[in-house]
């Protein structure tokens, strides 16, 4: 009789931590999980000032082909002949106006 009691007591002692461990896997936040991401979506919608801005936006200005080609040429030439770098440590140092 005593050995049967010990077997049941040992099994019960092992079962309690097992049940507690399995209970840790269960979701205990069903209310929070159902609203997951609501704050993010509300913040994104608050940042949109005018959701229909494209519907009433002014037309983009038309640029002639000659002006566009000139602008591209100026842009490309600015990289071919960069402005010379000045020494920033000598700003304000000069001959003092002496001749």
């Amino acid at each position: 009789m005593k050995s049967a009691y010990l077997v049941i007591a040992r099994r019960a002692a092992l079962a309690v931590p097992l049940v507690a461990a399995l209970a840790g896997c269960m979701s205990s936040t069903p209310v929070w999980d159902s609203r997951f991401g609501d704050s993010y979506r509300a913040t994104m919608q608050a940042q949109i000032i005018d959701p229909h801005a494209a519907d009433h936006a002014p037309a983009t200005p038309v640029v002639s082909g000659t002006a566009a080609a000139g602008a591209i040429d100026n842009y490309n030439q600015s990289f071919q002949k960069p402005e010379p770098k000045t020494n920033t440590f000598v700003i304000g140092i000069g001959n003092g106006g002496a001749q």
Side-chain angles (χ1 to χ4, degrees):
M1 175 93 164
K2 189 173 184 179
S3 64
Y5 173 75
L6 289 176
V7 171
I8 293 172
R10 286 181 186 161
R11 288 183 183 170
L14 292 175
V16 170
L18 180 64
V19 170
L22 292 176
C25 297
M26 293 174 37
S27 175
S28 62
T29 60
V31 175
W32 295 338
D33 292 342
S34 67
R35 297 184 321 190
F36 185 78
D38 287 351
S39 175
Y40 170 76
R41 285 187 287 275
T43 303
M44 290 298 293
Q45 289 300 317
Q47 293 178 8
I48 298 173
I49 295 172
D50 186 4
H52 302 291
D55 296 341
H56 52 77
T60 56
V62 177
V63 178
S64 69
T66 307
I72 291 172
D73 288 339
N74 288 338
Y75 178 76
N76 288 334
Q77 288 176 1
S78 71
F79 290 105
Q80 292 172 359
K81 296 182 251 175
E83 296 181 15
K85 302 283 183 186
T86 59
N87 190 351
T88 58
F89 294 110
V90 294
I91 293 176
I93 299 175
N95 56 9
Q99 296 186 13

